Amino acid sequence: MAYIVLQITWKASPAISEYGAGFLSGRKWDPNTSEYGILPEIWGTLYSSLLALFIGSFFGIAVAVFLSEGYLGNFVFRVLKLFGIQFHRFWGKLPAWSEATLKNLVELLAAIPSVVYGLWGIFVVMPMLREPCNWLHENMEWFPLFSTRYQGPGMLTASFVLAIMILPTISAIARDALVAVPPKLREASYGLGATRWETILSVVLPTASGGIFGGIVLAFGRALGETMALAMLVGNMNTIDVSIFSPANTLAALLANNFSEAGSDEMKVGVLMYAGVVLMAITLFVNMIGSLILQRATKGLKGMR
């Protein structure tokens, strides 16, 4: 890791010397006039990742609760019970199989290539979102988040697809944190008269919150570095707009779209490497924070046991 950081920083050193900190606050990217600034890309990277994190966390934690509490297995068991085969040598294993199958299917979302997610976003997500987004714009144009018309490629489309991509990370770590909650806490809650959902919301989730938050931060780090899907869906425009329908750009997409044009020009390569250093610094910082939180949460749960 140290070698990679030093090598990229060395390649970026000409641009760092030339543009300094103004590179981080500039808003114009024009290779023809040698004007470079990545503030819109920093904004787009953070905004798209946070929006994806909001969507992905909601569904990821819901999936984790569904899996950790055995809702699918209980449902399959009740169906088998209607036919009197819930303890059958073969069919009796179906509840556990269904739980494992759903868990594996969610985790397999991480195996789908990024470019496939991009194509899915273009041909499925964009047509699906067009009508409701245009309705929101026409009826709530005064609200900053809906102030621009939905054109297709933009922040919402990119964030929605990115949320699906980070969902396996959130759900897997959140499920492990929920399963690690000591059974005695659940039993004590039930003993005090709490219902199942009261126990989940008031005892299980707060106890596992450290691990869940650590998983969310790690998923945030994963979202920051996503490239191909964002390059295909975010719109690739150097704009700073709070509207979720507006096109934008990200650091990873900027690198993917411009590296082939840099050629052997030392300054152009250095500028892109400078942007890479910024992206790497943000991603490493977020992942380090997530790992520390996850380690502390794991130690805390072990101590409670």
Side-chain angles (χ1 to χ4, degrees):
M1 184 183 293
Y3 175 76
I4 293 172
V5 172
L6 290 173
Q7 191 73 9
I8 294 177
T9 305
W10 178 73
K11 288 282 188 181
S13 58
I16 295 174
S17 301
E18 178 72 20
Y19 297 101
F23 183 72
L24 304 178
S25 58
R27 298 192 176 200
K28 190 175 182 180
W29 184 277
D30 189 356
N32 296 320
T33 59
S34 297
E35 293 183 71
Y36 299 104
I38 58 169
L39 184 60
E41 284 74 22
I42 295 174
W43 165 263
T45 300
L46 295 175
Y47 194 15
S48 62
S49 298
L50 288 170
L51 186 58
L53 201 65
F54 176 77
I55 301 171
S57 297
F58 177 80
F59 288 104
I61 295 173
V63 169
V65 171
F66 188 77
L67 289 172
S68 64
E69 295 296 321
Y71 281 103
L72 180 60
N74 291 337
F75 173 75
V76 174
F77 181 84
R78 287 198 296 269
V79 172
L80 295 176
K81 190 175 180 180
L82 294 175
F83 299 95
I85 55 174
Q86 69 272 25
F87 298 118
H88 189 272
R89 186 175 58 181
F90 175 77
W91 295 109
K93 298 177 181 179
L94 196 58
W97 286 349
S98 61
E99 291 277 352
T101 300
L102 179 59
K103 178 177 177 290
N104 291 332
L105 284 174
V106 173
E107 292 178 354
L108 277 174
L109 289 172
I112 299 175
S114 178
V115 68
V116 176
Y117 274 112
L119 292 172
W120 176 67
I122 292 172
F123 294 107
V124 177
V125 177
M126 285 185 191
M128 179 182 70
L129 294 178
R130 191 175 303 278
E131 285 192 18
C133 289
N134 285 334
W135 182 89
L136 284 172
H137 171 68
E138 291 169 1
N139 292 274
M140 300 182 65
E141 187 178 357
W142 53 270
F143 192 58
L145 292 179
F146 311 135
S147 59
T148 59
R149 190 168 184 82
Y150 181 80
Q151 300 294 333
M155 192 62 71
L156 180 63
T157 306
S159 299
F160 184 86
V161 173
L162 190 57
I164 305 300
M165 298 177 73
I166 65 174
L167 190 145
T169 302
I170 298 173
S171 62
I173 296 177
R175 179 186 175 277
D176 291 342
L178 292 170
V179 171
V181 174
K184 290 182 179 180
L185 290 178
R186 299 170 184 264
E187 294 167 4
S189 179
Y190 292 141
L192 291 172
T195 64
R196 187 175 188 181
W197 270 106
E198 286 174 342
T199 300
I200 292 171
L201 296 175
S202 302
V203 178
V204 178
L205 284 175
T207 304
S209 60
I212 294 172
F213 185 69
I216 291 173
V217 175
L218 289 177
F220 184 45
R222 162 79 172 83
L224 289 170
E226 177 51 43
T227 305
M228 281 309 301
L230 271 295
M232 297 169 69
L233 299 172
V234 78
N236 301 310
M237 289 183 62
N238 287 358
T239 58
I240 299 178
D241 197 327
V242 296
S243 173
I244 59 176
F245 303 152
S246 172
N249 205 358
T250 67
L251 289 168
L254 177 76
L255 294 172
N257 290 327
N258 288 276
F259 226 101
S260 60
E261 301 175 3
S264 58
D265 190 318
E266 184 179 354
M267 185 55 69
K268 289 183 179 179
V269 173
V271 166
L272 292 173
M273 285 294 187
Y274 192 0
V277 169
V278 175
L279 176 60
M280 185 169 57
I282 295 172
T283 306
L284 288 177
F285 177 76
V286 170
N287 277 280
M288 287 171 59
I289 295 298
S291 297
L292 289 173
I293 293 172
L294 204 56
Q295 288 176 9
R296 289 190 176 186
T298 303
K299 290 180 181 177
L301 287 173
K302 286 181 180 179
M304 292 177 68
R305 287 183 169 183

